[in-house]
Amino acid sequence: MDTSLFAPWRSTASALNASTLLLRLIFGGLMIPHGYAKLTHFAEYQNDFMNLLGLGTAVSLSLAIVAEFGCSILLVLGLFTRLALVPLIVTTLVIVFGAHGGEILGDGEHGFLYLGVYLSLLLTGPGQYSVDQRLFGRSASANRRFV
């Protein structure tokens, strides 16, 4: 019986790349509808939206739309991934600690899960199955060093 699948100390580059792809597709894809809803119902959301750092509700809502809709699309594509993750991380920090008062085991739990995934992707990068890899990728030997 091949036990390499169950060995916790073994990993392959393809498993890491497939994992980052799944995380990007799932967590980027699940965030897009939140941003799209804010975009299509801007006027309705604007009056009740959180005023972040005194920027005003319209600016705060616009920044949330850019992060949740625009940056999530970039994340799904794996295009400018680490740069796109920064606004998503800031947005999830605001969701968890601003809107939900830091209740990571309560109402802020979903935001905290997104935050954990976004931070993990910031550390690992987009993986080989991304537009970033096609545009800015390293050689196969350079990728082997990190696995």
Side-chain angles (χ1 to χ4, degrees):
M1 181 173 147
D2 182 20
T3 60
S4 62
L5 179 65
F6 303 106
W9 58 88
R10 285 192 55 149
S11 183
T12 63
S14 60
L16 178 64
N17 290 318
S19 298
T20 56
L21 174 65
L22 282 173
L23 290 173
R24 285 190 0 254
L25 293 176
I26 292 169
F27 284 86
L30 287 173
M31 186 59 82
I32 290 171
H34 294 283
Y36 184 74
K38 288 176 179 75
L39 178 64
T40 56
H41 300 96
F42 189 89
E44 298 166 28
Y45 279 96
Q46 182 179 355
N47 295 330
D48 297 326
F49 202 76
M50 176 187 259
N51 182 1
L52 179 65
L53 300 173
L55 296 172
T57 57
V59 173
S60 297
L61 179 56
S62 299
L63 291 171
I65 291 169
V66 167
E68 293 177 7
F69 187 66
C71 292
S72 291
I73 290 172
L74 292 174
L75 181 62
V76 166
L77 295 173
L79 178 61
F80 306 117
T81 306
R82 285 189 166 124
L83 184 62
L85 282 164
V86 172
L88 285 166
I89 290 168
V90 171
T91 300
T92 54
L93 284 168
V94 171
I95 290 168
V96 172
F97 297 104
H100 296 293
E103 294 182 22
I104 60 172
L105 297 177
D107 289 339
E109 183 176 4
H110 289 119
F112 193 68
L113 290 171
Y114 277 88
L115 177 61
V117 170
Y118 293 155
L119 287 170
S120 296
L121 285 169
L122 185 68
L123 293 173
T124 61
Q128 189 172 11
Y129 309 124
S130 65
V131 176
D132 281 345
Q133 178 65 27
R134 299 288 286 172
L135 295 176
F136 315 110
R138 297 188 190 134
S139 68
S141 62
N143 286 335
R144 242 181 268 126
R145 275 189 311 206
F146 298 108
V147 178

